[in-house]
Amino acid sequence: MERETRVRFAPSPTGYIHVGGARTALFNYLFARNTGGKFILRIEDTDLERSSEEAMRDILEGLRWLGLAWDEGPQAGGSSGPYFQAERIDLYTGYMNRLERDGMAYRCYCTIDELSAERARAVAEGREYKYGGKCRCLTPGERESRLQAGAASVLRFAVTPGTTVVDDMVRGQVSFDNALLDDFVIVKSDGMATYNFAVVVDDALMGITHVIRGEDHLSNTPRQILLYKALGFELPRFAHIPLIMGPDRTRLSKRHGATAVTSYRDQGILPQAMINFLALLGWGYGDKQLFDMTELCDLFNIERVNKNPAVFDTDKLEWMNGQYIRAMTSDDLFQAGLPYLLQAGLIPEEPDDETVLKSKEALKLVQERLRYLSEIPDLVVFFFIRPQGYEPEAAEKWFTRSQTADRLEKLVSELQGMEPFKAEMIEPKVRNLAAAEEIKAGELIHPVRLALTGRKASPGLFETMELIGCEECIIRLRKAAEFVRERV
RNA sequence: GGCGCUGUCGUCUAGCGGUUUAGGACAUCGCCCUUUCACGGCGAAGGUCGCGGGUUCGAAUCCCGCCAGCGUCACCA
């Protein structure tokens, strides 16, 4: 029996969660579910300067919204905590000391100023900069005297010559010459472990079996492998997934507009659509385009992740969102649309049954034209509020002749007292009137639509009329007739 | 600059030496449906598979070189 797979998503709470991070989290999640393993969330919050409570909340909220539930981590608990790196710092000291004692790491007394001067010099001379290993050659005596003097120091890992190969599940074998790695810092002068050191210890202690992360970490991997070996930890499998880029093919950033997961939520992207879209960025399964989470968990396979970076293009996301919106039940659509109706002030905080019913009907009528939930208010206003004006372009076309006013009024008398006021009964009335007037149905339908909705486009006219209601239709038709007369 | 990764329609991708006149999806355009807008259906356009060599009877698929893009080179994670 193989060891249970354990993967982790380890964001640092230095900013909101963006689509790239979400995609990394998703692939980890899918891998865990696919292999029957555990998905762990660890917060890398050791950079107190840049970490914030707010970013933390955004990350948790974003993951939860996407449905990427973590098996272990903040608010979920687990037996390999703590899950905040800031609370794990004591765990590192033993390992630091061991490396130093075993001579695999050494104290370096070079100051930041010295080093940056050295680097500046190298850059000025067009050489590449690499730490020279000056302090590696300190004699025991020199070390002792610096220690006595209480000089500040960092701990550097003593890289030994050779080649380190990363056996990557998506990229295959990638080898690095150790000579190109300088003696990197593993403990900062304040005693805190650096990222490279901390991840290794954390991942090892948490029993992480597969490290799935962005390709930007690939070049750090040989250093980490060296550390795993030095510490005697079992190596995890690595999988470096391609980066997500902006349309200009540079790494996606705020510059490219909306990249925050929560901003898509606010625009009314459904989490299922976001998940589906993200999954298809770097992964695919034949010609199939639409996958729900269950299918994804079932079919996901890290070996099928492709190596090339993908451009984040929301066209397809919008289409997918439309697909998912159309697949919603009336109740689900109402629940999802409610915040938008509320925010637009179209319905009260605690709507009565009649309003709820009407809202559901309205949403049903616009369901197939939605791409974002945020489009809802604009598409349904006229069901709730009498039009305040008419789209000029449409008025120009349909509201220019006095006959139109006559016809609108004739329709009013047709409609008066109609009972029940149903689409299938309204339709013949309108069509018959058009016939009687010897005009095509459209010639009447268009002005009526404009009169009732103020728009040139709307859901089917007869269904729209039914929902607006007989009385209100009559009022609107009369107002429009009046408007036309004044205009001509 | 060193190192590393990547390179198939505008975008996401299928393709793993022959059944490929390179397939699908989004976007675009056209037609149909139709009271409008959508939805849906049908169809079109769009790729000299980064470029150049080679291997092979045969290459998008294998090899080499080049070019381009990206990533990474911190006491940041």
Side-chain angles (χ1 to χ4, degrees):
Chain A
M1 180 72 191
E2 279 218 3
R3 192 154 62 119
E4 172 185 70
T5 59
R6 291 170 64 81
V7 296
R8 103 278 124 124
F9 177 55
S12 51
T14 53
Y16 56 74
I17 181 163
H18 55 91
V19 292
R23 204 272 244 99
T24 302
L26 173 64
F27 281 14
N28 273 284
Y29 177 87
L30 294 178
F31 183 79
R33 289 293 164 269
N34 182 261
T35 55
K38 292 278 191 288
F39 173 56
I40 295 153
L41 178 63
R42 183 176 71 225
I43 305 295
E44 315 226 315
D45 56 350
T46 51
D47 185 348
L48 277 357
E49 292 292 301
R50 297 194 302 150
S51 296
S52 78
E53 190 62 33
E54 195 192 343
M56 215 337 252
R57 262 201 312 275
D58 188 81
I59 291 168
L60 263 39
E61 215 179 285
L63 292 176
R64 212 170 272 131
W65 173 70
L66 287 168
L68 303 179
W70 50 98
D71 302 303
E72 296 177 25
Q75 296 168 3
S79 52
S80 36
Y83 295 94
F84 287 92
Q85 204 170 46
E87 294 167 18
R88 300 178 62 83
I89 47 184
D90 291 344
L91 295 170
Y92 308 134
T93 51
Y95 296 101
M96 298 168 178
N97 293 341
R98 199 164 92 204
L99 287 183
E100 188 177 4
R101 188 196 63 212
D102 295 350
M104 301 178 102
Y106 60 89
R107 305 236 64 113
C108 168
Y109 298 91
C110 300
T111 65
I112 290 179
D113 289 346
E114 280 167 14
L115 293 174
S116 48
E118 208 175 297
R119 183 175 309 127
R121 213 174 309 130
V123 171
E125 291 168 18
R127 299 193 327 263
E128 66 161 315
Y129 171 76
K130 222 182 91 191
Y131 175 67
K134 186 164 47 159
C135 295
R136 189 174 184 169
C137 313
L138 255 31
T139 64
E142 286 170 321
R143 264 177 217 294
E144 189 56 32
S145 66
R146 308 237 169 158
L147 192 62
Q148 293 301 324
S153 69
V154 300
L155 194 62
R156 283 183 187 273
F157 183 75
V159 175
T160 50
T163 300
T164 300
V165 353
V166 180
D167 188 13
D168 195 280
M169 289 197 287
V170 350
R171 269 147 231 285
Q173 307 222 321
V174 185
S175 47
F176 296 85
D177 184 348
N178 292 1
L180 273 359
L181 276 24
D182 50 3
D183 289 349
F184 56 95
V185 174
I186 57 178
V187 180
K188 301 185 252 182
S189 54
D190 62 2
M192 186 57 211
T194 60
Y195 166 74
N196 278 130
F197 188 72
V199 254
V200 169
V201 175
D202 287 341
D203 285 342
L205 260 33
M206 288 182 168
I208 301 302
T209 58
H210 299 259
V211 173
I212 303 170
R213 60 193 359 172
E215 197 206 321
D216 50 339
H217 288 278
L218 185 56
S219 53
N220 267 324
T221 309
R223 294 190 177 89
Q224 292 168 16
I225 288 177
L226 257 21
L227 251 18
Y228 271 99
K229 288 181 174 161
L231 260 8
F233 290 140
E234 190 181 339
L235 223 52
R237 297 297 316 271
F238 290 97
H240 288 92
I241 64 181
L243 261 20
I244 296 180
M245 328 246 270
D248 61 354
R249 296 198 171 271
T250 64
R251 206 243 224 59
L252 198 65
S253 71
K254 317 100 234 161
R255 264 191 321 107
H256 296 107
T259 57
V261 168
T262 43
S263 81
Y264 287 96
R265 177 199 59 194
D266 297 342
Q267 284 177 73
I269 291 290
L270 264 15
Q272 311 92 284
M274 195 71 200
I275 288 288
N276 194 153
F277 179 66
L278 253 20
L280 256 30
L281 247 36
W283 179 85
Y285 193 83
D287 287 343
K288 194 169 158 60
Q289 303 290 328
L290 266 17
F291 300 84
D292 62 32
M293 191 63 113
T294 315
E295 293 174 303
L296 250 20
C297 292
D298 215 38
L299 300 170
F300 185 76
N301 175 204
I302 202 101
E303 268 88 30
R304 277 195 72 86
V305 171
N306 49 223
K307 309 186 228 300
N308 48 312
V311 171
F312 189 75
D313 175 7
T314 51
D315 276 351
K316 201 167 189 169
L317 172 62
E318 287 171 23
W319 168 76
M320 270 180 189
N321 205 46
Q323 296 293 316
Y324 283 100
I325 288 175
R326 261 161 258 140
M328 289 173 105
T329 64
S330 169
D331 286 344
D332 287 346
L333 182 59
F334 175 69
Q335 285 309 322
L338 191 55
Y340 299 91
L341 293 172
L342 250 27
Q343 198 191 7
L346 294 180
I347 63 174
E349 283 293 341
E350 293 187 12
D352 53 40
D353 291 353
E354 195 188 341
T355 308
V356 170
L357 211 65
K358 182 175 180 178
S359 305
K360 284 186 181 173
E361 285 304 315
L363 288 173
K364 232 194 279 180
L365 291 180
V366 300
Q367 186 164 19
E368 68 189 18
R369 22 211 115 206
L370 287 171
R371 285 174 97 77
Y372 288 95
L373 294 175
S374 57
E375 294 165 342
I376 287 175
D378 184 57
L379 289 178
V380 303
V381 243
F382 49 78
F383 289 118
F384 300 92
I385 297 169
R386 199 171 289 166
Q388 300 303 299
Y390 305 101
E391 284 181 9
E393 185 196 329
E396 197 58 48
K397 184 160 185 188
W398 301 112
F399 280 180
T400 47
R401 298 165 40 190
S402 62
Q403 290 166 322
T404 305
D406 299 340
R407 288 173 187 147
L408 293 178
E409 276 157 359
K410 282 180 190 166
L411 183 59
V412 168
S413 33
E414 287 294 321
L415 262 28
Q416 256 163 345
M418 228 180 111
E419 185 67 42
F421 196 66
K422 290 283 184 198
E424 59 270 26
M425 319 196 56
I426 301 165
E427 179 161 4
K429 295 268 186 205
V430 174
R431 290 194 187 280
N432 289 342
L433 177 59
E437 294 286 312
E438 295 182 308
I439 54 172
K440 285 198 280 187
E443 300 274 315
L444 182 57
I445 285 170
H446 290 292
V448 171
R449 163 176 294 111
L450 187 56
L452 296 174
T453 68
R455 307 289 180 80
K456 63 172 183 285
S458 79
L461 181 68
F462 312 116
E463 291 74 20
T464 300
M465 289 175 75
E466 177 182 331
L467 190 56
I468 288 174
C470 186
E471 241 177 279
E472 179 64 18
C473 279
I474 287 171
I475 296 172
R476 294 185 187 185
L477 287 169
R478 282 186 173 142
K479 279 195 68 173
E482 199 177 314
F483 175 87
V484 175
R485 289 204 200 290
E486 275 168 26
R487 190 190 156 103
V488 219

